[in-house]
Each structure stands twice: as C-alpha cells, then as structure tokens.
Amino acid sequence: MSSENIFEDFEIHRVTDTLFQLPVLGYDIALTNTAVFMLISVIGCTLFLVFAMQPRAVIPGRFQMLAEKLYDLVGNMLESGAGPKAKQFFPLVFTIFMFILFCNLFGLLPVLSANSATSHVIVNFAISSILFIVIISYGFIKHGIGWIKLFVPKGLPFFLVPILMCIELFSFLIRPFSLAIRLFGNMLAGHLLLHVFIGLTIGLLGAGWLAGLSILPFLLNLVLIGFEFFVAFLQAYIYAVLASVYLHDAVEMH
C-alpha cells in the first residue's frame, strides 16, 4: 500500500448526482461520502440517546447510565469552564461533543474509517465557525460594543493599546483554526497509522516465508485500535473543554 493510495482513501467524492444548484454562487450541491458519514453519525447518536433514555428508570441500566454520565460530564465541564451563567449554551456544547464523539468512534469501523468526517479539516472548521459565530454574536448582544474591551488588557499604557489589541484579536481569530487543525491532525494521524499497519499485515501475508511476521503488525494494530478508542473520546472532550473556555469570554468578558 503506497502513501499515495493511503491519502486517496481520504478524498471527498460524490456519491450522488447534483441535487440542486445555487445560481448566485454557481455551486451545485451533491451528496458526498463524508456527508453520508455525518448523517450516519447523527442518526447513530440520536438513536443512542433516544433508546438509552427511553426506560427513564430510577435505577438506570447500562445505556441510560452512560447517557446520563455523558450529560453530566458536559454540564459540569461547561459550568466550570464558562461559569454558571453559560447553562443556556449547554445544548450547543453537548451537540458538538456528541457529534464529534460519534464521528470519531464510527471512524474506527473498517468500512467507514476512510470517510471519517473529523479526518477532514474543512468539517472541523465548519463546527468551529458555528461556535465562534455564536460567541461573537452573543458577546455583542450582551455587552454591546464594549465587548471589544476583551481585546484590551487592563492597565496598559495608551501607546501599547493598539499593538496589544491587534495581538489579542489575532489570537482570538486564530482559535477556530487551531480547534479544527488539532482535531484533524489527531484523527487523521490515527487513521493513517491503522491503514499503514493493515497494509503491512496484508503485504507480509503475501511475502512467502515472511508471512509469519504478519502477526507483529496485526497485534500492534489491535493495540492501536484500543488506543484510538481512547483518543476518540479524549479529542471530543478536549474540543468541548476548549469550547466552554472560549464561551467564557462572551459570558463574563474576563
């Protein structure tokens, strides 16, 4: 398996013809393999939450307990990161967390791994853009034009204000890119490693007397898959934590 073929597996391509066109922008909209993967992830996440909470038992079962633990995890994370006033943003942060988590987990399935949405930086950037549009909009709605003071550290000499304001503004605007690239890099690297070891295992199996060595990359791949399950949850958690911290700027301004 060559490196070119590995990256070709992660290309976005159409699975349907043009569904409709945007005459103003000149784009045509079609269903892609990544869009199908995201639909599968959304459906899977929805079914999990619906069926997990369907019993509504006082003594929860395994799935209900897991759903409640995830709910409490995000709620406590949001309150500690953005403050008690940020509870109104819980649906947004919980949705982002669950969507990324299920995309990461479904991306570990052999059939879906090459179509994993979080392995594409543009998908992650779209999520980050929605988050920061909400942050900026709420910041101006709640604090008015005074929200710009967020980018001016207190106690600065007047002549340093323009310089520090530009630096703070740049660091703020770079956040959606850093969020997208961090998730993209971690998930793509894991998927590439899995593909490499799978290719190495298959290659050794067809190498005659060296076929017995194929057990080594196979076992290493099993260990890597277990580690990737941990990474799948960890990356969703880190994304939600950073989203909560960034929301704090819009809620409290300090």
Side-chain angles (χ1 to χ4, degrees), residues 22-195:
L22 299 176
V24 177
L25 300 176
Y27 290 107
D28 59 318
I29 304 300
L31 200 61
T32 65
N33 56 325
T34 304
V36 172
F37 177 90
M38 288 190 286
L39 287 174
I40 293 174
S41 300
V42 170
I43 293 172
C45 178
T46 303
L47 291 176
F48 165 72
L49 292 174
V50 169
F51 285 107
M53 299 308 298
Q54 194 68 29
R56 298 182 182 180
V58 177
I59 301 177
R62 294 178 182 177
F63 290 106
Q64 182 178 340
M65 183 179 296
L66 178 58
E68 291 178 356
K69 288 294 183 182
L70 292 174
Y71 183 94
D72 292 337
L73 176 69
V74 176
N76 295 332
M77 175 199 312
L78 181 62
E79 184 173 354
S80 61
K85 296 180 182 178
K87 289 182 178 180
Q88 57 193 311
F89 294 108
F90 175 82
L92 173 65
V93 178
F94 186 71
T95 299
I96 290 175
F97 172 78
M98 293 299 293
F99 176 73
I100 293 176
L101 178 61
F102 271 76
C103 282
N104 292 349
L105 292 176
F106 281 6
L108 296 176
L109 300 177
V111 180
L112 300 175
S113 61
N115 301 315
S116 177
T118 48
S119 295
H120 298 288
V121 68
I122 189 62
V123 175
N124 301 336
F125 181 68
I127 301 172
S128 302
S129 298
I130 294 172
L131 173 65
F132 275 82
I133 288 173
V134 171
I135 291 173
I136 294 171
S137 300
Y138 183 81
F140 279 113
I141 290 172
K142 182 176 181 179
H143 305 287
I145 196 67
W147 190 63
I148 298 178
K149 294 179 181 178
L150 176 70
F151 308 109
V152 183
K154 295 181 180 180
L156 280 179
F158 181 76
F159 68 91
L160 288 177
V161 169
I163 300 174
L164 267 296
M165 186 174 181
C166 290
I167 294 174
E168 290 290 330
L169 182 60
F170 176 77
S171 66
F172 179 84
L173 294 178
I174 206 69
R175 287 175 178 177
F177 295 95
S178 65
L179 275 176
I181 293 173
R182 179 187 291 107
L183 180 59
F184 156 75
N186 281 283
M187 300 315 300
L188 180 62
H191 292 314
L192 288 178
L193 281 175
L194 290 174
H195 275 65

